[in-house]
Amino acid sequence: MISSISWVPKGVSKPVIYMTKAMKDVLREFYGDEDPYLSKDKDEYDYDYEELCNPIYPTDSLIVCARPKVEGSDSFGILEVLTLNPHDIRNSASPLYHHDIRIPVLPHNHHEILISALPLCSAWLDCPLQGGERGNFLAVGSMEPNIGIFNIDVIQGDGRGEPCMVLGSTEDDGHSDAVLGLAWNKEYRNIIASASVDKQVKIWDVVSGKCEITMTDHSDKVQAVAWNLHSPRLLLSGSFDGTVFLKDGRMPSNDGCEWKLNAKVKSLAWDPHSEHSFVASLANGTVRLIDVRTAKSDSGSEFNANEHGKAVTSVSYNPSAPNLLATGSEDETVKLWDLSHNQPSCVASYSPQVGPVFCISFSEEDPFFLAIGGSKGNLRIWNLHRDSGISQRYGNYMK
């Protein structure tokens, strides 16, 4: 299964070196100088040290899929890093690209990083950790009560990844149970929020590695957190207790706003085109569209009741086209919605053949590519450029 998907901005990643210096020294000791991979003379051999790097080009879109894996009595996680070139995809005449792309059949599997915990959620960030340099990092929440931050440009010789930082490694500031949701603050880039089975929401400073704030508003496990893109101090949290809280991260003791939605909250998303609106998807198959200026529990439009027959596990707003929302469900479908005038209407539906859908995400740089992951472990990219109905309706927003 794929538990979470993270898009990485183009041009951020550096070449990934498979053959580390330590590995090279071991091979030289074992084989001597006769092994062609160890040669310094490029004219004499077909390979040199630099050619053991696997490059990522500035035009490549990079996607990281987090997935748990169990083999016998062993359980671990995999961060699967995949690349695709949007220009090649968009202009390909192959039937493969007509409606979707199944990433594993393309020659763009880049590398995998094995981690010890079973991943449940992830968030990409580039903030310098503990005063270091900006980089290409993935924060991962798992069945463990802490949060590991991995440099996804680094692979150890055995393929395993060691976190370059662990948040909540002590009982004093960490969660006491699994971490279910993560949200990086793109304005205050050193800040990340976490949601946990322990009913708490925590706000972390990744420069100091410390928990700055702990919120205890919910009475059941907290599934999702989301920062407001326009007012980046505002944080939403959604719980299995059927409530959503809106709090100002600077004033955690303030009561904030509360919405009682009468069903378990599965995911949250702020509208990138409006600072006042967000959606909450629910376990009963509905989605609630809420304007925070009303601040009433019974406010907002509810939809999907007769469309998705099971829990709506993930939602994603299109970053380019206003009022275009994607929803993914345990009913194994993904749907697109026009939310104009608070009258949601379904404009497209797709069965990606990934089993129950657990995570979806629009690319910010290629807004009409929608990544989809589910229980079968396949990653699909729904290429909306190839959907005539969508291209006619939203063509003005397509690059």
Side-chain angles (χ1 to χ4, degrees), residues 199-201 215-219 237 241 243 245 247 252 254-255 258:
K199 309 176 188 178
Q200 296 181 340
V201 173
M215 301 180 186
T216 57
D217 302 291
H218 296 285
S219 61
S237 60
D241 63 11
T243 66
F245 273 90
K247 303 291 288 282
N254 188 288
D255 290 340
E258 178 187 9

Side-chain angles (χ1 to χ4, degrees), residues 380-397:
R380 299 276 188 179
I381 305 294
W382 188 0
N383 182 0
L384 302 186
H385 294 272
R386 295 288 181 178
D387 189 299
S388 58
I390 297 299
S391 60
Q392 290 175 8
R393 192 180 188 108
Y394 299 100
N396 292 337
Y397 301 101

Side-chain angles (χ1 to χ4, degrees), residues 267 279 281 286-287 303-304 307-308 312-317 325-329 331 333-337 339 346 348 350 357 360 362 370 372 382:
S267 66
V279 290
S281 73
T286 68
V287 175
F303 62 97
N304 278 20
E307 295 286 347
H308 284 304
V312 179
T313 55
S314 184
V315 290
S316 182
Y317 273 100
L325 178 77
T327 58
S329 171
D331 70 359
T333 67
V334 176
K335 297 183 184 296
L336 299 180
W337 302 85
L339 305 184
C346 184
Y350 173 44
V357 176
I360 59 174
F362 277 113
L370 181 68
I372 304 166
W382 188 0

